[in-house]
Amino acid sequence: MSMSTTWIVVIAVGIATIAIKALGPVLLGGRPLPPRLAGPIALLAPALLAALVAINTFGADRQLVLDARVPGVAAAAVAIWLKAPVLVVIIVAAAVTAVVRAVAG
Amino acid sequence: MSEPARERDHRDGARAVAPLAIAVLGFGASYGVLARAAGMGVLAPIVMSATTFAGSAQFAAASILGTGGATVSAITAAILLNARYAPIGVSVAPYLTGGFWSRFLHAQLTVDETWAVAAEGEGRFNPKVLLGAGLILYAAWVLGTILGVAFGDVIGDPANWGLDAAFPALFLALLVPQLKDRKTLEAALLGAAIALALTPFVPAGVPIIAASAACLLGLRETPPATPHPGTTP
């Protein structure tokens, strides 16, 4: 791969990402959303967060897999249920996943 | 969720993502290592982290380039992975009340983790928390990338430390307090189901964008009159 190919990708992805991120805030910033959109926007966070949990727990390169992340996230769920602080939840998830991975090889 | 005793500010945002900053530093370093191994050189990966600032898209682009994939495939994959930032940007927009550059800066720092910690339920977002969290994660990501390209494989695979489980754990910890009513729970379950169902069939990134369609459940009834963001104390 040539260096110019690398820079084409870096510049194109950079400009596209900056533009995608800026779109909403720059065009709509500071103005209340139309009332019709308030209902859907209120549900965007739970819908996307749940999707991010699911994909980051089970997703791997266009497949669904059960690996050491699953017990880690399950342990995190228990910690959340026990009202542990977020820091503890994250440490529990990483530690359980690391141990399961080390044991399972 | 119980009403917070006081309004959250920048420091609360920084504190909220601090535990994750270590994971982000580790993944930044592994991105630096991977990008260099893929033949991207030293400067390009650092520039990409500083401008694109989106982990999954950068990993995808580097691995496609490293395996000899087409330039167009690398660009398309990265853009698809980042397309979710369009609806995410729209959701925070009403709360970004500053001038052009202020809104632009906040927008660039709006990534999954910072957006999630800045969410205050019922579609409200705290721009100060977003900024504080964003600056910490941005510094961790760029610094991690520099460490990765400069020193190579010092920490090994972040997966050995279980750091890949840190991200879904954070998202779950931020999701659970929002599940206060039936409609929110339905949107969350539908979003997860859409994402999982599509994963085997479409390129990475598309399942997450498609999952945002679950928020259309909110169209079913007229929303309660929510106060304008400017009117809260």
Side-chain angles (χ1 to χ4, degrees):
Chain A
M1 176 191 41
S2 72
M3 235 29 239
S4 64
T5 307
T6 296
W7 282 105
I8 290 168
V9 171
V10 168
I11 292 167
V13 173
I15 290 174
T17 305
I18 288 169
I20 292 168
K21 286 182 182 168
L23 201 64
V26 165
L27 296 182
L28 310 169
R31 267 171 276 170
L33 289 169
R36 271 183 62 78
L37 281 183
I41 288 292
L43 295 183
L44 185 63
L48 272 184
L49 281 173
L52 286 167
V53 172
I55 293 285
N56 283 294
T57 306
F58 301 107
D61 200 22
R62 288 181 88 160
Q63 293 175 58
L64 299 177
V65 295
L66 291 176
D67 62 19
R69 291 172 297 176
V70 178
V73 176
V78 174
I80 293 166
W81 182 62
L82 294 173
K83 308 240 181 278
V86 174
L87 175 62
V88 175
V89 172
I90 290 173
I91 291 172
V92 164
V96 169
T97 297
V99 168
V100 170
R101 214 167 251 153
V103 171
Chain B
M1 206 187 324
S2 59
E3 207 59 37
R6 60 179 180 84
E7 212 178 327
R8 296 190 300 160
D9 64 13
H10 306 96
R11 266 174 302 171
D12 296 293
R15 216 173 287 136
V17 292
L20 209 65
I22 296 166
V24 169
L25 193 75
F27 275 96
S30 67
Y31 167 71
V33 171
L34 178 84
R36 207 167 164 192
M40 289 180 70
V42 171
L43 189 58
I46 299 171
V47 170
M48 197 174 196
S49 285
T51 51
T52 296
F53 183 42
S56 52
Q58 292 180 233
F59 272 107
S63 62
I64 290 170
L65 287 177
T67 51
T71 310
V72 175
S73 323
I75 295 171
T76 310
I79 292 175
L80 282 179
L81 279 164
N82 284 340
R84 68 182 179 283
Y85 289 130
I88 283 178
V90 170
S91 74
V92 297
Y95 302 90
L96 302 180
T97 50
F100 175 89
W101 289 110
S102 161
R103 302 203 305 270
F104 186 82
L105 173 70
H106 282 82
Q108 298 312 317
L109 296 175
T110 305
V111 292
D112 299 329
E113 298 84 1
T114 58
W115 174 74
V117 299
E120 306 207 304
E122 283 144 31
R124 284 175 290 121
F125 290 90
N126 184 322
K128 289 180 183 167
V129 173
L130 185 68
L131 187 63
L135 290 173
I136 294 286
L137 286 197
Y138 185 83
W141 181 243
V142 175
L143 182 64
T145 307
I146 293 171
L147 293 176
V149 292
F151 299 108
D153 219 347
V154 281
I155 64 154
D157 187 350
N160 292 341
W161 304 91
L163 293 182
D164 50 343
F167 296 92
L170 172 81
F171 296 135
L172 187 63
L174 296 167
L175 169 65
V176 169
Q178 296 198 22
L179 302 176
K180 286 172 300 191
D181 54 44
R182 197 185 159 81
K183 206 163 57 167
T184 315
L185 185 64
E186 285 171 0
L189 291 175
L190 184 59
I194 292 171
L196 290 177
L198 289 181
T199 293
F201 306 108
V202 295
V206 176
I208 303 270
I209 313 166
S212 63
C215 77
L216 296 177
L217 289 176
L219 285 174
R220 276 184 313 190
E221 58 221 76
T222 43
T226 39
H228 183 268
T231 61
T232 41

